Amino acid sequence: MKIILAPAKKMVSDDSLSYSDIPVFIDEANELLNYLKKQSFEELKRIYKASDSIVLENMERIREVDLSKSLSPAILSYDGIAFKHMAPNVFTDKEFNYVQKHLRILSGLYGVLKPFDGIRPYRLEMGSTISYLDYRDLYSYWNNRLYEEILDDDHLIINLASKEYSKIIEDFIKEEDRFITITFKELVKGKYVSKATYAKMARGEMVRFMAENEVEDLDKLKEFNNLGFKYSDDLSSDNEFVFIKEGDE
């Protein structure tokens, strides 16, 4: 079983724990980094779809970065909502071992990361449009390589990633695979809806729950009840597990 999770835009350098591996697609990451280094401010603004200050900050980062030096474990390098709720900084050794085996973080720059792969802060979202050789975007650049890297012998993937990132795996799912998307919904005015912030919080909590309980089967996964969410058999299907809670109406 593999669990896929999207990265976060906000990143930090955290060397409180040592990294253990180099990302499997480090050559491709350096290739993309070299491409970014050649881009003008205007082109980077188009790629990043961000403010001038963010583009300037990342231009400086791109010029100076060396993907082989000053590395931090990937799981401690992201500082978004999901990772705050996962709280890997207080994981036990058992929990770190679990996520190292099962969790894979998808990345526009690095492709796919194990939790203890050493990385540097970067900005490159999977949905970015690039004009590199014959590639029109990062989906065509990575193609099926991330799917092939992630797939286990049991052909089971638990999807906790956003659509922007899960698409790079889901597009290559085969008949013998089982790809289960975890969805978090709240009851608001009689309808179940997904709220982005709560979904991110719950995804991080779900990873923590799985690590704490060393979840290896789907029945155990359904026992998740953090943040008031609970599994809904009525709303779920073979390929989507829906967790619901009462909304703040």
Side-chain angles (χ1 to χ4, degrees), residues 1 10 64 78 89 111 130 160-161 213-214 216 218 224:
M1 177 180 68
K10 186 177 179 182
E64 297 179 351
Y78 296 106
N89 55 308
I130 63 173
L160 286 171
N213 294 280
E214 297 183 283
E216 298 285 352
L218 298 178
F224 174 82

PDB file of all heavy atoms in Angstrom, residues 1 10 64 78 89 111 130 160-161 213-214 216 218 224:
ATOM      1  N   MET A   1       0.839  -1.199   0.000  1.00  0.00           N
ATOM      2  CA  MET A   1       0.000   0.000   0.000  1.00  0.00           C
ATOM      3  C   MET A   1       0.874   1.249   0.000  1.00  0.00           C
ATOM      4  O   MET A   1       1.849   1.342   0.728  1.00  0.00           O
ATOM      5  CB  MET A   1      -0.890   0.016   1.244  1.00  0.00           C
ATOM      6  CG  MET A   1      -1.753   1.269   1.374  1.00  0.00           C
ATOM      7  SD  MET A   1      -2.794   1.247   2.842  1.00  0.00           S
ATOM      8  CE  MET A   1      -1.557   1.370   4.142  1.00  0.00           C
ATOM      9  N   LYS A  10       4.480  26.510   1.141  1.00  0.00           N
ATOM     10  CA  LYS A  10       5.361  27.063   2.171  1.00  0.00           C
ATOM     11  C   LYS A  10       6.353  26.000   2.619  1.00  0.00           C
ATOM     12  O   LYS A  10       5.976  24.882   2.953  1.00  0.00           O
ATOM     13  CB  LYS A  10       4.549  27.557   3.366  1.00  0.00           C
ATOM     14  CG  LYS A  10       5.375  28.285   4.414  1.00  0.00           C
ATOM     15  CD  LYS A  10       4.500  28.810   5.544  1.00  0.00           C
ATOM     16  CE  LYS A  10       5.339  29.517   6.598  1.00  0.00           C
ATOM     17  NZ  LYS A  10       4.517  30.002   7.735  1.00  0.00           N
ATOM     18  N   GLU A  64      20.850  30.429  -6.480  1.00  0.00           N
ATOM     19  CA  GLU A  64      21.788  29.976  -5.453  1.00  0.00           C
ATOM     20  C   GLU A  64      21.681  28.497  -5.114  1.00  0.00           C
ATOM     21  O   GLU A  64      22.613  27.922  -4.560  1.00  0.00           O
ATOM     22  CB  GLU A  64      21.557  30.788  -4.168  1.00  0.00           C
ATOM     23  CG  GLU A  64      21.821  32.277  -4.325  1.00  0.00           C
ATOM     24  CD  GLU A  64      21.546  33.036  -3.041  1.00  0.00           C
ATOM     25  OE1 GLU A  64      20.987  32.424  -2.109  1.00  0.00           O
ATOM     26  OE2 GLU A  64      21.894  34.230  -2.982  1.00  0.00           O
ATOM     27  N   TYR A  78       8.129  20.706   4.456  1.00  0.00           N
ATOM     28  CA  TYR A  78       6.881  21.356   4.063  1.00  0.00           C
ATOM     29  C   TYR A  78       6.166  21.878   5.302  1.00  0.00           C
ATOM     30  O   TYR A  78       6.122  21.208   6.333  1.00  0.00           O
ATOM     31  CB  TYR A  78       5.988  20.367   3.305  1.00  0.00           C
ATOM     32  CG  TYR A  78       6.597  19.898   2.001  1.00  0.00           C
ATOM     33  CD1 TYR A  78       7.125  18.613   1.879  1.00  0.00           C
ATOM     34  CD2 TYR A  78       6.642  20.737   0.891  1.00  0.00           C
ATOM     35  CE1 TYR A  78       7.690  18.183   0.687  1.00  0.00           C
ATOM     36  CE2 TYR A  78       7.208  20.314  -0.308  1.00  0.00           C
ATOM     37  CZ  TYR A  78       7.725  19.036  -0.402  1.00  0.00           C
ATOM     38  OH  TYR A  78       8.292  18.611  -1.581  1.00  0.00           O
ATOM     39  N   ASN A  89       7.128  16.274  13.343  1.00  0.00           N
ATOM     40  CA  ASN A  89       8.209  16.621  14.279  1.00  0.00           C
ATOM     41  C   ASN A  89       8.065  15.930  15.629  1.00  0.00           C
ATOM     42  O   ASN A  89       9.029  15.889  16.409  1.00  0.00           O
ATOM     43  CB  ASN A  89       8.283  18.137  14.477  1.00  0.00           C
ATOM     44  CG  ASN A  89       6.971  18.739  14.930  1.00  0.00           C
ATOM     45  OD1 ASN A  89       5.932  18.516  14.307  1.00  0.00           O
ATOM     46  ND2 ASN A  89       7.011  19.520  15.997  1.00  0.00           N
ATOM     47  N   GLY A 111       9.329  15.135  -8.532  1.00  0.00           N
ATOM     48  CA  GLY A 111       8.539  13.994  -9.000  1.00  0.00           C
ATOM     49  C   GLY A 111       7.841  13.296  -7.856  1.00  0.00           C
ATOM     50  O   GLY A 111       6.652  13.508  -7.617  1.00  0.00           O
ATOM     51  N   ILE A 130       4.977  24.666 -18.580  1.00  0.00           N
ATOM     52  CA  ILE A 130       6.356  24.937 -18.978  1.00  0.00           C
ATOM     53  C   ILE A 130       6.494  24.748 -20.482  1.00  0.00           C
ATOM     54  O   ILE A 130       5.657  24.107 -21.118  1.00  0.00           O
ATOM     55  CB  ILE A 130       7.350  24.008 -18.241  1.00  0.00           C
ATOM     56  CG1 ILE A 130       7.093  22.542 -18.625  1.00  0.00           C
ATOM     57  CG2 ILE A 130       7.240  24.193 -16.733  1.00  0.00           C
ATOM     58  CD1 ILE A 130       8.131  21.577 -18.081  1.00  0.00           C
ATOM     59  N   LEU A 160      -4.535  10.844  -0.872  1.00  0.00           N
ATOM     60  CA  LEU A 160      -4.795  11.993  -0.004  1.00  0.00           C
ATOM     61  C   LEU A 160      -4.303  13.290  -0.647  1.00  0.00           C
ATOM     62  O   LEU A 160      -4.158  14.309   0.018  1.00  0.00           O
ATOM     63  CB  LEU A 160      -4.112  11.797   1.351  1.00  0.00           C
ATOM     64  CG  LEU A 160      -4.765  10.775   2.284  1.00  0.00           C
ATOM     65  CD1 LEU A 160      -3.871  10.509   3.491  1.00  0.00           C
ATOM     66  CD2 LEU A 160      -6.137  11.245   2.740  1.00  0.00           C
ATOM     67  N   ALA A 161      -4.032  13.249  -1.941  1.00  0.00           N
ATOM     68  CA  ALA A 161      -3.513  14.416  -2.650  1.00  0.00           C
ATOM     69  C   ALA A 161      -4.649  15.212  -3.286  1.00  0.00           C
ATOM     70  O   ALA A 161      -5.739  14.691  -3.533  1.00  0.00           O
ATOM     71  CB  ALA A 161      -2.528  13.964  -3.732  1.00  0.00           C
ATOM     72  N   ASN A 213      -1.375   4.089  14.119  1.00  0.00           N
ATOM     73  CA  ASN A 213      -2.029   2.782  14.222  1.00  0.00           C
ATOM     74  C   ASN A 213      -1.455   1.747  13.265  1.00  0.00           C
ATOM     75  O   ASN A 213      -1.977   0.631  13.185  1.00  0.00           O
ATOM     76  CB  ASN A 213      -3.534   2.953  13.971  1.00  0.00           C
ATOM     77  CG  ASN A 213      -4.220   3.774  15.040  1.00  0.00           C
ATOM     78  OD1 ASN A 213      -4.534   3.276  16.114  1.00  0.00           O
ATOM     79  ND2 ASN A 213      -4.438   5.054  14.764  1.00  0.00           N
ATOM     80  N   GLU A 214      -0.388   2.131  12.554  1.00  0.00           N
ATOM     81  CA  GLU A 214       0.258   1.233  11.591  1.00  0.00           C
ATOM     82  C   GLU A 214      -0.783   0.555  10.699  1.00  0.00           C
ATOM     83  O   GLU A 214      -0.820  -0.666  10.545  1.00  0.00           O
ATOM     84  CB  GLU A 214       1.110   0.192  12.317  1.00  0.00           C
ATOM     85  CG  GLU A 214       2.259   0.817  13.099  1.00  0.00           C
ATOM     86  CD  GLU A 214       3.161  -0.212  13.759  1.00  0.00           C
ATOM     87  OE1 GLU A 214       2.744  -0.767  14.797  1.00  0.00           O
ATOM     88  OE2 GLU A 214       4.258  -0.456  13.235  1.00  0.00           O
ATOM     89  N   GLU A 216      -2.677  -1.094   7.883  1.00  0.00           N
ATOM     90  CA  GLU A 216      -2.281  -1.908   6.738  1.00  0.00           C
ATOM     91  C   GLU A 216      -3.483  -2.440   5.969  1.00  0.00           C
ATOM     92  O   GLU A 216      -3.317  -3.084   4.940  1.00  0.00           O
ATOM     93  CB  GLU A 216      -1.422  -3.100   7.211  1.00  0.00           C
ATOM     94  CG  GLU A 216      -0.114  -2.714   7.888  1.00  0.00           C
ATOM     95  CD  GLU A 216       0.949  -2.230   6.912  1.00  0.00           C
ATOM     96  OE1 GLU A 216       0.725  -2.336   5.686  1.00  0.00           O
ATOM     97  OE2 GLU A 216       2.000  -1.749   7.387  1.00  0.00           O
ATOM     98  N   LEU A 218      -7.892  -1.766   4.848  1.00  0.00           N
ATOM     99  CA  LEU A 218      -8.888  -0.731   4.615  1.00  0.00           C
ATOM    100  C   LEU A 218      -9.912  -0.629   5.746  1.00  0.00           C
ATOM    101  O   LEU A 218     -10.431   0.449   6.020  1.00  0.00           O
ATOM    102  CB  LEU A 218      -9.589  -0.991   3.279  1.00  0.00           C
ATOM    103  CG  LEU A 218      -8.664  -0.938   2.053  1.00  0.00           C
ATOM    104  CD1 LEU A 218      -9.450  -1.245   0.793  1.00  0.00           C
ATOM    105  CD2 LEU A 218      -7.974   0.422   1.933  1.00  0.00           C
ATOM    106  N   PHE A 224     -10.915   5.979  11.208  1.00  0.00           N
ATOM    107  CA  PHE A 224     -10.474   7.366  11.409  1.00  0.00           C
ATOM    108  C   PHE A 224     -11.639   8.237  11.880  1.00  0.00           C
ATOM    109  O   PHE A 224     -12.725   8.217  11.287  1.00  0.00           O
ATOM    110  CB  PHE A 224      -9.914   7.917  10.092  1.00  0.00           C
ATOM    111  CG  PHE A 224      -9.559   9.383  10.129  1.00  0.00           C
ATOM    112  CD1 PHE A 224      -8.343   9.796  10.649  1.00  0.00           C
ATOM    113  CD2 PHE A 224     -10.437  10.340   9.647  1.00  0.00           C
ATOM    114  CE1 PHE A 224      -8.009  11.152  10.679  1.00  0.00           C
ATOM    115  CE2 PHE A 224     -10.114  11.687   9.666  1.00  0.00           C
ATOM    116  CZ  PHE A 224      -8.891  12.082  10.185  1.00  0.00           C
TER     117      PHE A 224
END
